[in-house]
Amino acid sequence: IVLTQSPGTLSLSPGQRATLSCRASQNIYSSYLAWYQQKPGQTPRLVIYGVSSRATGVPDRFTGRGSGTDFTLTISRLEPEDFAVYYCQQYMTYPWTFGQGTKVEIK
Amino acid sequence: QVHLVESGGGVVQSGGSLRLSCVASGFPFSAYGIHWVRQAPGKGLEWVAFINYAGINKYYLDSVKGRFTLSRDDSKNTVYLQMDRLRTEDTALYYCAKDGNPIDSWGQGTLVAVSS
């Protein structure tokens, strides 16, 4: 399953809303879609699993939605610590695949 | 607290071999599968392989099938990734990661550099 994320880079200011898209080459059933956050020099961190469930400790400004082939991650009001690269990932079938990432940068 | 520590990375010539180790602690190791994910310098994440809790089910990225082999030793809380016939495109930081449906914990990674 190929995952295509858009845009490649999102330039926004703190307090703004970020909407990240992830499109799959085939339907992802049973909600096996996750989002990870990675900051420079750090390991990835699970943000969303099961399309819309927030991982432990993730603030409620992060919202995941979608079904079938189209998924979104929305950050309602960007905080300074949210600027990072975000990857979507499907875990419905092997080989697991990641999208190429969306970089959320400070404008 | 989950802790995963990778080791075994290094510089190797194309065609050579390396064995990566992932030592785990902080959770019941024998009850969980372990993934390997790699990240080439400046690039995105790429899932590489998975071994299930029993060591019976193993899955690999197509480009590493037949060259990489997973095994586990529950007495040592360790998963091994044997990498043979290495290619320059295998150069990356290799993370081991705990399966929590999906991955919920990551090690810090070990760097593999394959020279031509």
Side-chain angles (χ1 to χ4, degrees), chain B residues 18-84:
Chain B
L18 282 173
R19 189 178 80 156
L20 305 186
S21 300
C22 170
V23 179
S25 60
F27 65 99
F29 180 75
S30 61
Y32 286 88
I34 297 291
H35 298 267
W36 288 89
V37 176
R38 67 186 180 185
Q39 188 166 34
K43 302 297 184 183
L45 301 170
E46 182 176 49
W47 177 88
V48 175
F50 170 73
I51 184 168
N52 80 333
Y53 71 97
I56 294 172
N57 294 327
K58 304 172 190 178
Y59 302 95
Y60 300 94
L61 182 67
D62 282 351
S63 64
V64 310
K65 275 182 191 173
R67 300 189 298 121
F68 289 12
T69 306
L70 276 168
S71 61
R72 64 186 294 156
D73 184 343
D74 287 355
S75 69
K76 296 181 178 179
N77 278 17
T78 301
V79 166
Y80 302 99
L81 181 66
Q82 177 66 41
M83 305 189 297
D84 298 319

Side-chain angles (χ1 to χ4, degrees), chain A residues 9-58:
Chain A
T9 302
L10 207 46
S11 298
L12 296 167
S13 301
Q16 287 192 295
R17 180 186 190 91
T19 301
L20 289 66
S21 173
C22 176
R23 177 161 289 178
S25 61
Q26 61 189 82
N27 283 337
I28 296 177
Y29 299 106
S30 303
S31 303
Y32 288 125
L33 193 287
W35 292 89
Y36 295 86
Q37 175 195 70
Q38 188 178 32
K39 298 178 184 179
Q42 296 188 18
T43 63
R45 171 199 179 199
L46 179 65
V47 177
I48 296 286
Y49 65 95
V51 174
S52 59
S53 297
R54 280 184 292 272
T56 303
V58 174

